[in-house]
Amino acid sequence: MIKTAEVVIIGGGISGSSIAYNLAKKGVKNIVLLEKAYLSSGATGRCGAGIRQQWGTEMNCRIAKLSCDFFERANEELDYEEDIEFKQEGYLLLSSTDKEHQQFIKNVELQNSLGIPSKLLTLEEAKEIVPFLNTEGLVSATYCEKDGHLNPFHATQAYANAAERLGVKIYKFTEVTGILIEQGKIRGVKTTKGNIATNIVVNAAGGYAQLIGKMVKLDLPLYSERHQILVTEPMETILKPMVMSFSLNMYCQQVPHGGVIMGRGDENEPRDFRITSSWQFLDEMTTTVTKLLPPLKNARLLRQWGGLYNMTPDRQPIYGAVDEIEGFYLAVGYSGHGLMFGPATGLLMAEIILQEECTIPIDMLHLNRFRKGELIFEPSVV
Amino acid sequence: MVLKCTGIPTNEDLERVFPSKERLEKGPIVVVECFQRIPCNPCHTACSKNAIKEFDDINNLPVVEEDVCNGCGLCVSKCPGLAIMVVDMTYSEKEAILKIPYEFLPLPEEGELVLGLDREGKAVDKVRVVKVLNTKAMDKTPVLFIAVKKEDIKRVRNIKLQEKEKKFQTACCSDLIEKNSKLSKDTVICRCSDVTLEQIRGLIKKGYTTFDEIKRISRVGMGPCQSRNCGQLVLREISQMTGTPISKLMLGTYRPTTKSIKLGEIAEAVDGGEHND
Amino acid sequence: MKNVELMVIGGGPAGLCAAIKAAELGVSVLLVERDRWLGGQLVKQTHMFFGSEKQHAATRGIDIAKLLIDKIEAMENIEVIKNATVLGIYEDGIITIEGEGKYQKIKPKAVIVATGASEKTLAFPKNDLPGIYGAGAVQTLMNVYGVKPGQRVLMVGAGNIGLIVTYQLMQAGVHVEAIIEGAPKIGGYLVHASKIRRMGVPIYTSYTVKEAEGENDLEEVTIWRLDEGWNPIPGTEIRLDVDVICVSVGLTPLSELLWQAGCKMQFVTALGGFVPIRDEEMQTSVKGIFVAGDVAGVEEASSAMVEGQLAGLSAASYLGYTVYNIKEIKQDLLHQLQALRSGPVGEKIRQGISEIIASKEVAAAAEGL
């Protein structure tokens, strides 16, 4: 294994791979990416893989749009020989209360002002997109046809391959066991396959980011929460867009392969590193989805699995340097949106590390916001 | 040992278990063609005379007390391996009786002439069925008494009712070798997601060296069989191409559910008063 | 949610014996079987069993099934759910099952997993053509449903299953062209092989399938010889005119429920694949989860039945039930297993089991259910 590096990135998910690629593209040499298992083995490969731009704050809208635009041209830009399978079949968001409806109106206005082609829909219009939608208890919907989903394994691999072509060294099955600091400065990382001397470490460890933080005695305001998903056997295409409801706390989408993927948030989920499955999830998920989308009663459950949301108190990511440790950077705490923010994460983190001006102003996403009590409110999260 | 490759006892093997000429001439006696140490002892249990001695170790080969065995044949239909027959050289001047187990339908008629077969299934000579024993105690393993020429007692071990020999078709075809390159393309490893051996090998070459990686990138093992069919095949390929022993490789995670179930069925059980305490 | 004392998963030889033994000691047992009838593979076994009287030697498998099922039905503390599949064992010990359109949750105090094994498959070109079966499927078709799989069969594999199914095919009036075996020696009992040979069926050792041919279904197959390193030798091809290939290349433990439950697993070639680490009394690394039969390592049904009794006894003991001579019963069962495995044929099994028997320390560190 290599002995010294300019930058060591910890985590081989979409974020780490994207950061590696963007740094290399900007000319940084000697970049090392460390992954304790295989690429996209963590949250990236376990998520619902939705890509949406319909957010409620300007910053999130811009991050999401930048990312979505990139995914549209990712196969070409990353020169990927296969396909990241980005399909833009839209996101249909449902509101269940008048308060939510009012928020949707504001959101669409904001999104449109930023060039995101979302629309506010009546329930009748929503039924034109999903004819079997049970609108009982719903108020309105918004729809953005440019939203969609992709194959997270291929997306990560596309970044990784492109990064490797630019000289990035990727070590799979290599776990970081410690971080070396001298006088408040990063000096290297210890791994299961040897030590690497470096002055810059990027923590992009997803669900395990707080553990990396502990290695530099940093108590990051993060916790990992299990989220679960199920997939059905492939069936005839009946559902084009991702259907999502914040009130019902669920999302559901049929992927090109024909299987229907669905997941939900649950405050009772364990906040440890468990990624096992629970029968309670099946009970709750099937009850909700068969009420909202009745034909899915006949879809056959194939498999369920769990993954980790890396949560922050305001459910917004933490981007940036850490004041007290020179050379230690954070790209953590996506709270469930790491994949869809992946391209922006890579670009913005590269800009931060190289001290360039950020394409999107993201100062407020710095770790210090929690120290100052300046939390961000995003109304549109499952 | 030739028997291990062919399944056919050699003459030497037979000589070891055949009684002496002197003993044969005295009257009926069993021939136990049991050449392999396996855990089995019903022949002893079946024998009312204790002529097949008790086994110290259940894996031992049976030992016949030649002076005690009277050739009653009780053990013939009790041997799970159908390895026992009785030879009676005193039947007539020219013919001996073989009592052999026979589990095929239709059973021959008494008096019927049938084809005697050797231990490789090859025809020896016509033989006559003298008696067909099929009692309830025999539990569907009837015993045929067949009259064979005395010189054939070590050859005949089976019969066939009618002549309908089907030739074993063989043809060498070296032209097939050229198709060798397409072999891996046509070989399906994952039936659920239609993934071929060629694709799997391609992925391993690209550096995907764990089952989980191959699963995620190709969908192997993600279908309804949950890798029950493809799992070990993929591990074997990885092992062969990377030189890692299979015992050091891991399968993907097995997740619920073991078989598919309608979402509506789960939801109904919740609505239907399934109390989750 | 249904509360039960002991749940036995699988109504084959191991599961039936486990349920009976535990119930004999007073345990309330729920036995769940995927098929519509109990007996597992026993119901397809028309041949007589090996072993000794204690394991019903010289009785046909199907009749052993009847004996065991009669016992089960006579016991009031055994509830049987047939035609139901266990879907998952969850982190909190809850087990979900589905059968006849009904989804249920079971909360057992202890579990015996006796799910048996599944057939291994073989990779060769066009191995997905109709007419290519696993030996188990052929046996089910013939012996359970009375359906012939085809007219002319190539049997792949000369282990006991390959030999037995060949014999049964011939009993059903199906022509078997040949048996091929990749290894240089016949793997099954030689008495079975001799039975087949005297019916005139050739056994080709060191041969494997090169490829299958056919438009919509299997029309012919080409086999070729393997050298000592298991590499095929070009020029040794033989083309066979068959409409059925019966693949019988071994079994592998059906252990996914044990994986789900978090049991420590290990790959042991001699036992057919991934098997659970367990103690001598059949308890896995997860406290309260026991195993018996092929899922604990592929072996003969005779051993499965004894292991079942042992697991039943251990689970009963774990649940606080006992009987005055429990030690003697256990010793006798262990002795039977030892006898069944003591010969040369059992050598691989003995070696394999020695790799997975957990030390006392591992057992002590076992997690709670």
Side-chain angles (χ1 to χ4, degrees):
Chain A
M1 191 159 91
I2 203 166
K3 291 274 183 271
T4 59
E6 195 78 15
V7 180
V8 172
I9 300 160
I10 303 170
I14 189 80
S15 302
S17 307
S18 171
I19 294 166
Y21 166 75
N22 278 282
L23 280 171
K25 198 180 155 202
K26 285 176 181 290
V28 179
K29 307 286 175 209
N30 263 328
I31 301 166
V32 168
L33 176 69
L34 301 174
E35 165 53 49
K36 74 180 173 113
Y38 50 90
L39 297 181
S40 72
S41 55
T44 297
R46 296 170 181 278
C47 70
I51 306 296
R52 86 173 140 110
Q53 306 172 77
Q54 301 181 72
W55 289 86
T57 65
E58 177 174 341
M59 181 183 58
N60 281 340
C61 284
R62 292 183 64 181
I63 290 173
K65 183 165 192 307
L66 186 151
S67 298
C68 186
D69 290 349
F70 181 85
F71 283 133
E72 282 182 10
R73 50 177 210 278
N75 284 332
E76 294 74 34
E77 181 139 346
L78 299 174
D79 198 13
Y80 190 48
E81 57 187 8
E82 291 184 56
D83 183 6
I84 69 161
E85 297 170 15
F86 185 39
K87 299 283 179 314
Q88 288 166 292
E89 306 270 19
Y91 251 65
L92 185 69
L93 304 187
L94 306 170
S95 71
S96 302
T97 61
D98 188 56
K99 194 177 156 211
E100 220 180 339
H101 171 62
Q102 295 305 324
Q103 183 65 45
F104 274 21
I105 295 173
K106 282 187 220 162
N107 288 357
V108 168
E109 209 170 294
L110 171 71
Q111 290 154 8
N112 291 170
S113 75
L114 296 166
I116 297 166
S118 56
K119 289 183 285 196
L120 188 70
L121 302 184
T122 63
L123 294 176
E124 287 67 38
E125 289 167 325
K127 276 181 88 91
E128 281 169 26
I129 297 168
V130 180
F132 48 81
L133 181 73
N134 177 4
T135 54
E136 189 190 324
L138 302 179
V139 177
S140 67
T142 67
Y143 178 70
C144 174
E145 61 181 19
K146 288 288 182 188
D147 291 351
H149 70 96
L150 51 71
N151 181 320
F153 317 123
H154 281 293
T156 308
Q157 195 66 56
Y159 267 122
N161 289 358
E164 280 187 310
R165 282 196 298 272
L166 292 169
V168 173
K169 296 227 163 27
I170 298 178
Y171 295 99
K172 295 190 285 183
F173 300 98
T174 306
E175 189 168 352
V176 173
T177 53
I179 295 173
L180 304 166
I181 299 184
E182 274 172 26
Q183 292 160 342
K185 290 177 184 170
I186 293 287
R187 283 293 170 258
V189 292
K190 290 196 238 178
T191 81
T192 47
K193 292 195 181 152
N195 295 356
I196 305 173
T198 184
N199 293 329
I200 298 177
V201 166
V202 183
N203 179 359
Y208 310 95
Q210 55 272 47
L211 300 179
I212 300 296
K214 288 211 170 85
M215 292 177 186
V216 292
K217 299 200 170 59
L218 202 57
D219 193 14
L220 295 172
L222 299 171
Y223 62 89
S224 287
E225 182 179 275
R226 182 177 70 184
H227 276 240
Q228 297 184 64
I229 295 184
L230 69 81
V231 63
T232 71
E233 284 184 359
M235 56 195 285
E236 202 185 339
T237 304
I238 57 167
L239 184 63
K240 290 258 174 174
M242 174 83 89
V243 175
M244 188 167 185
S245 159
F246 303 116
S247 312
L248 297 174
N249 215 347
M250 57 83 68
Y251 58 87
C252 174
Q253 164 134 54
Q254 189 169 21
V255 299
H257 171 256
V260 183
I261 283 182
M262 58 195 80
R264 68 190 303 277
D266 186 345
E267 286 176 357
N268 298 320
E269 282 283 21
R271 293 183 177 186
D272 48 30
F273 297 101
R274 242 182 291 173
I275 48 171
T276 45
S277 300
S278 79
W279 53 270
Q280 290 92 339
F281 164 73
L282 288 187
D283 278 2
E284 288 152 6
M285 189 75 241
T286 55
T287 308
T288 313
V289 82
T290 54
K291 227 170 262 171
L292 187 68
L293 303 165
L296 292 183
K297 274 181 192 158
N298 293 316
R300 300 191 72 92
L301 165 65
L302 181 58
R303 186 171 54 250
Q304 60 177 130
W305 69 90
L308 299 176
Y309 270 30
N310 191 233
M311 306 293 290
T312 62
D314 61 2
R315 299 177 171 194
Q316 296 295 308
I318 304 173
Y319 286 134
V322 173
D323 292 348
E324 58 271 38
I325 305 163
E326 195 181 317
F328 192 63
Y329 292 85
L330 301 174
V332 301
Y334 301 103
S335 308
H337 315 111
L339 180 75
M340 61 178 88
F341 286 2
T345 297
L347 178 67
L348 297 169
M349 287 304 296
E351 288 169 345
I352 291 169
I353 293 165
L354 297 175
Q355 296 179 345
E356 295 173 2
E357 193 184 333
C358 283
T359 308
I360 300 168
I362 49 162
D363 289 350
M364 65 281 247
L365 290 177
H366 195 274
L367 173 65
N368 289 347
R369 73 178 185 272
F370 303 106
R371 296 167 176 171
K372 296 183 205 151
E374 292 170 359
L375 274 61
I376 301 158
F377 173 72
E378 165 57 62
S380 307
V381 182
V382 168
Chain B
M1 185 169 152
V2 181
L3 172 61
K4 274 202 170 165
C5 302
T6 61
I8 305 168
T10 60
N11 287 337
E12 273 172 28
D13 293 328
L14 287 179
E15 287 307 328
R16 272 190 285 139
V17 295
F18 248 84
S20 64
K21 196 159 176 275
E22 293 72 42
R23 173 61 188 85
L24 285 171
E25 276 164 8
K26 280 187 197 160
I29 182 164
V30 289
V31 178
V32 187
E33 295 173 50
C34 188
F35 302 103
Q36 186 182 31
R37 284 168 51 81
I38 57 175
C40 186
N41 69 6
C43 52
H44 158 70
T45 323
C47 184
S48 58
K49 299 248 175 308
N50 208 21
I52 298 178
K53 291 201 282 190
E54 189 170 353
F55 291 46
D56 292 333
D57 174 346
I58 192 177
N59 290 282
N60 284 352
L61 299 182
V63 177
V64 180
E65 290 273 11
E66 294 190 353
D67 297 334
V68 183
C69 176
N70 64 357
C72 73
L74 270 179
C75 54
V76 172
S77 59
K78 284 290 173 219
C79 171
L82 307 191
I84 305 179
M85 68 168 181
V86 171
V87 184
D88 181 2
M89 290 292 268
T90 63
Y91 176 64
S92 74
E93 195 190 331
K94 289 196 171 154
E95 285 180 322
I97 289 283
L98 296 182
K99 301 179 190 173
I100 56 167
Y102 186 78
E103 293 182 327
F104 290 83
L105 291 173
L107 288 171
E109 302 275 318
E110 289 184 2
E112 191 178 336
L113 278 182
V114 295
L115 199 60
L117 304 178
D118 67 10
R119 286 172 174 77
E120 200 183 342
K122 286 189 179 143
V124 176
D125 198 359
K126 290 242 170 78
V127 301
R128 197 172 73 255
V129 179
V130 175
K131 195 169 184 181
V132 179
L133 267 186
N134 186 17
T135 66
K136 203 171 173 203
M138 288 175 159
D139 187 22
K140 303 184 202 80
T141 303
V143 175
L144 306 183
F145 291 33
I146 53 171
V148 304
K149 285 186 196 140
K150 280 190 172 167
E151 60 263 36
D152 286 341
I153 57 162
K154 289 183 184 171
R155 294 182 65 199
V156 175
R157 186 58 174 80
N158 191 19
I159 61 134
K160 193 169 197 179
L161 291 195
Q162 72 250 49
E163 294 254 30
K164 221 176 87 186
E165 198 71 44
K166 218 187 158 194
K167 269 269 156 52
F168 179 55
Q169 304 275 331
T170 65
C172 262
C173 28
S174 33
D175 62 313
L176 283 172
I177 302 163
E178 282 147 40
K179 293 197 218 156
N180 211 346
S181 56
K182 75 163 180 107
L183 294 190
S184 64
K185 202 185 281 175
D186 284 348
T187 303
V188 177
I189 297 288
C190 169
R191 287 149 196 255
C192 302
S193 303
D194 247 340
V195 184
T196 65
L197 184 59
E198 186 184 49
Q199 286 169 285
I200 300 286
R201 287 182 175 161
L203 290 171
I204 298 170
K205 270 188 207 143
K206 276 189 184 169
Y208 299 101
T209 53
T210 59
F211 184 84
D212 258 326
E213 286 171 278
I214 292 172
K215 169 180 167 182
R216 292 192 178 197
I217 213 83
S218 73
R219 309 194 77 90
V220 155
M222 282 193 184
C225 101
Q226 304 274 23
S227 82
R228 275 189 287 266
N229 285 306
C230 56
Q232 291 209 16
L233 293 177
V234 173
L235 290 187
R236 207 187 60 186
E237 277 312 305
I238 298 174
S239 173
Q240 280 178 356
M241 289 180 68
T242 63
T244 315
I246 292 189
S247 55
K248 297 267 183 286
L249 298 171
M250 262 322 203
L251 273 175
T253 318
Y254 279 106
R255 301 192 164 99
T257 51
T258 55
K259 74 158 199 175
S260 71
I261 172 176
K262 283 183 181 177
L263 300 184
E265 219 176 286
I266 300 176
E268 257 166 48
V270 179
D271 291 345
E274 260 275 330
H275 294 298
N276 302 327
D277 45 283
Chain C
M1 189 89 62
K2 187 181 173 82
N3 284 289
V4 302
E5 254 189 325
L6 174 65
M7 179 165 175
V8 177
I9 304 173
L16 291 174
C17 289
I20 292 167
K21 184 55 78 183
E24 278 173 358
L25 267 77
V27 180
S28 298
V29 181
L30 173 68
L31 174 62
V32 180
E33 164 56 42
R34 182 171 68 176
D35 236 321
R36 276 170 295 164
W37 44 78
L38 294 174
Q41 298 302 307
L42 288 176
V43 303
K44 303 192 267 179
Q45 308 311 325
T46 53
H47 63 282
M48 291 181 276
F49 272 42
F50 294 85
S52 71
E53 269 182 321
K54 278 183 175 166
Q55 302 100 36
H56 311 283
T59 306
R60 294 176 195 282
I62 185 166
D63 297 323
I64 298 175
K66 275 185 208 127
L67 291 172
L68 298 175
I69 293 166
D70 285 348
K71 263 193 191 171
I72 294 265
E73 283 171 354
M75 300 189 89
E76 282 179 2
N77 51 340
I78 302 180
E79 183 192 348
V80 180
I81 302 182
K82 284 179 269 194
N83 202 11
T85 305
V86 172
L87 300 176
I89 298 183
Y90 288 91
E91 52 194 349
D92 51 3
I94 304 294
I95 296 177
T96 56
I97 68 170
E98 190 246 5
E100 290 170 1
K102 202 170 155 220
Y103 177 75
Q104 289 186 73
K105 301 185 193 91
I106 317 281
K107 191 176 183 182
K109 292 196 176 98
V111 185
I112 296 175
V113 177
T115 42
S118 61
E119 297 191 275
K120 288 186 193 169
T121 50
L122 200 58
F124 56 83
K126 296 210 176 172
N127 56 351
D128 58 341
L129 278 175
I132 302 175
Y133 297 84
V138 163
Q139 223 183 13
T140 305
L141 275 179
M142 287 195 304
N143 298 354
V144 180
Y145 298 103
V147 176
K148 282 192 198 179
Q151 300 309 316
R152 300 174 316 281
V153 177
L154 170 69
M155 177 66 65
V156 182
N160 271 338
I161 296 177
L163 297 172
I164 288 168
V165 174
T166 298
Y167 188 70
Q168 293 174 355
L169 278 161
M170 301 189 73
Q171 286 182 309
V174 178
H175 177 74
V176 180
E177 283 278 339
I179 300 177
I180 61 169
E181 165 63 52
K185 282 180 186 163
I186 293 165
Y189 289 169
L190 296 177
V191 283
H192 280 317
S194 299
K195 260 161 61 177
I196 313 295
R197 289 312 310 264
R198 56 182 182 251
M199 299 297 302
V201 178
I203 298 178
Y204 293 101
T205 49
S206 294
Y207 265 87
T208 192
V209 176
K210 183 182 180 190
E211 63 182 332
E213 288 287 351
E215 225 18 75
N216 300 316
D217 44 33
L218 180 66
E219 285 162 21
E220 64 175 31
V221 56
T222 306
I223 60 173
W224 55 357
R225 206 166 76 223
L226 299 170
D227 65 17
E228 281 145 20
W230 289 73
N231 302 304
I233 309 169
T236 60
E237 288 87 350
I238 301 175
R239 202 178 262 181
L240 303 174
D241 172 23
V242 297
D243 61 351
V244 173
I245 296 177
C246 191
V247 179
S248 171
V249 293
L251 302 174
T252 190
L254 202 47
S255 56
E256 58 223 78
L257 289 172
L258 299 171
W259 287 94
Q260 285 180 17
C263 299
K264 287 199 183 77
M265 307 293 288
Q266 191 172 322
F267 189 94
V268 182
T269 309
L271 300 179
F274 284 96
V275 288
I277 302 282
R278 60 171 177 86
D279 63 16
E280 191 188 55
E281 296 168 345
M282 310 306 295
Q283 185 163 211
T284 66
S285 65
V286 177
K287 223 174 143 195
I289 297 187
F290 299 79
V291 285
D294 277 357
V295 73
V298 173
E299 240 185 305
E300 293 297 315
S302 323
S303 330
M305 290 188 280
V306 183
E307 276 190 353
Q309 294 179 60
L310 184 58
L313 193 76
S314 305
S317 176
Y318 169 83
L319 291 165
Y321 292 85
T322 190
V323 61
Y324 74 95
N325 59 345
I326 190 162
K327 274 190 187 151
E328 286 77 16
I329 301 175
K330 187 183 143 189
Q331 278 316 313
D332 174 57
L333 293 170
L334 288 171
H335 184 78
Q336 287 184 48
L337 283 173
Q338 197 195 351
L340 288 169
R341 292 164 181 157
S342 64
V345 181
E347 195 183 328
K348 265 173 53 189
I349 302 289
R350 292 198 304 277
Q351 173 60 33
I353 288 174
S354 73
E355 288 179 42
I356 50 153
I357 289 282
S359 62
K360 285 255 159 60
E361 300 83 75
V362 175
E367 306 147 47
L369 177 64

